[in-house]
Each structure stands twice: as structure tokens, then as C-alpha cells.
Amino acid sequence: MGCAVKKRIFGNWKMNGSLEANAALLQALKSGASQAACEVAVCAPAPYLSQLHSVLAGSAIAIGAQDVSAHASGAFTGEVSGAMLREFGVRYALVGHSERRQYHGESDDLVARKAQAALACGITPVVCVGETLAQREAGETDAVVRRQLAAVAHINGHCLSEIVLAYEPVWAIGTGKTATPAQAQAVHAVLRAQLLAATTSAARIPILYGGSMNAANAAELLAQPDIDGGLIGGASLKAADFLHIVACAG
Ligand code: 13P
């Protein structure tokens, strides 16, 4: 039972890009996605949000950030607040991406508070959950993703239906090893059941799949009943590949 609203295809550029490269990519996306049947967003590094804000003005492509501070303002060197992101037209912010959890020590609780801070500023948090290879091999996949989602639900219960959820198995990110459609669907169904138990508005929460989604495998993944879209890393840096995935979500 998938989400009733239209599919979402979000690009996560990670720490890639330059003013020049972005300009070319954004122009191609703007024209190529103007008639898209799905919702398209691009999550760019913070210094480029100003560029996206001007280049994407009036286009169908939404602007996303890759992180947001859990704090509103103050002595938090290097952090960027939700209010600052809003000034650049940001509609979405990734929270709890596995690269933040892994390399920056982000805990489930911090991720939950980042989601809360985003919601407080009118930014939709794209909450990322996913297991490592060791956790999958130990049979812990369901428990890990359920724990990660529970932390977010715990402090955002009243507005849980405002989030976007993304299942990104860590072993599939940037490795070329995609979860099979059946593997991904099985975890999405677990997450859907957890959402249904947590909120009466669960049906409207999109659950995106991320992890080596590309032009060749997108259609099959997006055809699964509980896969409501994709969070695309590497393939979002190539206009033709990203636009092909957008077309698959039509
Ligand atoms: P890849 O598509 O490069 O595997 O990255 C997925 C991802 O982490 C998106 O957030």
C-alpha cells in the first residue's frame, strides 16, 4: 500500500559540484523536468543554495539541503539553521543520512532533533534510515530501521505525517550494489507498518528508496507498492541519468 500522492525523485549531490558544473546541470534539469509528473528536488551543498535559489526560481524543481542544525541560532560554529535555509527557498532537508551518522557521529536522538528543528521552520525533513552490511547479515535490518524511525516518531509524533522517510541500506550506497526490489519492498513494508501504528495520517508519508538507484534499475524499484520515490546520489550528478529516473516515476 504505497503513498497516495505523486512520487518523489530527489537528488543528493553530496560534496560534489562547482558553480560552473552546477549551472550546466541545473539548466539541463530545469528544461528536462519541466513537465515531470513526479516531484523533483535537488539537495545541494550549503554554499550553492543561493545559486539554486536564483537558477531554479519559478521552476518545478524544489531545493533541498543535505543537513540542518538541531539548534535555532547561537554558538554552533559551522552549523546552518533551518531559518537560514528557508531564506534560500529550501523546502527539504536530509537528516540522518548514513554518511552523517557514520562520519559525524550523529545519534538517533540528534537526528530526531534535527527533524524537529526543520519542521519548526517549515522545512520537510527527509529522514534517512538504513542498516549496515554487518547488521543485515546479523538479521538486524528490521530492528535497526525501526529503532531509527522510532527515535524520530518519539519527539515528532504530532507532526510525523509531515516528514518524508528514506530507506537507504548503507551497503548499497555508492557501491553499485542495489537492494533487489523485493529486499527494498520488504523493508519499506516494515516502515509503512510502523508509520501506520504511529499516526492515522501515515498513508501520506512518502518512503523513498536510496542506494545505487540508477537509470537501469529505477523502474523496477519504483514499481514496488511501498516505494514512493528515490533518493539518488551518483546518478543525480548526470542530467540524462537523473532525468531518466524522473521519467520512470511518471
Ligand atoms: P548512491 O545513489 O550514489 O548510491 O547514493 C545514495 C545516497 O546516499 C543518496 O542519499
Side-chain angles (χ1 to χ4, degrees):
M1 195 212 61
C3 173
V5 297
K6 60 184 179 179
K7 291 205 188 297
R8 285 171 168 77
I9 300 296
F10 289 4
N12 173 10
W13 288 358
K14 308 194 178 184
M15 198 172 73
N16 293 292
S18 66
L19 287 173
E20 193 182 349
N22 302 348
L25 180 53
L26 290 169
Q27 282 309 331
L29 297 185
K30 242 171 91 162
S31 44
S34 63
Q35 305 296 325
C38 62
E39 180 162 355
V40 180
V42 173
C43 301
Y48 297 132
L49 292 173
S50 160
Q51 183 186 21
L52 269 69
H53 195 209
S54 52
V55 174
L56 296 179
S59 84
I61 302 174
I63 302 172
Q66 296 177 9
D67 189 22
V68 60
S69 177
H71 304 281
S73 67
F76 301 102
T77 301
E79 300 234 325
V80 178
S81 73
M84 294 171 186
L85 297 176
R86 282 298 304 166
E87 292 200 286
F88 294 94
V90 167
R91 289 242 298 275
Y92 297 97
L94 305 182
V95 299
H97 191 282
S98 63
E99 288 149 17
R100 302 285 324 164
R101 294 179 190 262
Q102 203 176 340
Y103 306 134
H104 301 273
E106 293 196 6
S107 65
D108 291 343
D109 176 60
L110 178 61
V111 172
R113 287 185 288 113
K114 287 185 169 193
Q116 187 178 41
L119 288 164
C121 294
I123 292 172
T124 301
V126 180
V127 175
C128 304
V129 300
E131 81 289 1
T132 63
L133 184 59
Q135 289 166 333
R136 173 161 283 265
E137 287 175 348
E140 295 168 1
T141 298
D142 293 1
V144 167
V145 299
R146 286 178 57 84
R147 187 200 72 221
Q148 292 171 333
L149 176 56
V152 173
H154 180 64
I155 65 164
N156 297 285
H158 55 293
C159 44
L160 190 62
S161 60
E162 303 305 315
I163 74 164
V164 170
L165 189 57
Y167 169 56
E168 295 207 311
V170 178
W171 49 271
I173 294 177
T175 58
K177 273 191 226 158
T178 320
T180 64
Q183 281 175 321
Q185 167 56 29
V187 179
H188 281 231
V190 166
L191 293 169
R192 181 83 65 201
Q194 188 176 359
L195 291 171
L196 282 167
T199 168
T200 49
S201 314
R204 58 185 277 209
I205 303 175
I207 311 178
L208 316 184
Y209 169 81
S212 298
M213 192 188 268
N214 58 39
N217 60 29
E220 214 187 348
L221 284 159
L222 293 169
Q224 299 303 307
D226 286 299
I227 298 185
D228 303 314
L231 182 53
I232 323 296
S236 74
L237 297 169
K238 297 178 206 130
D241 289 12
F242 190 63
L243 289 169
H244 184 92
I245 298 170
V246 166
C248 288

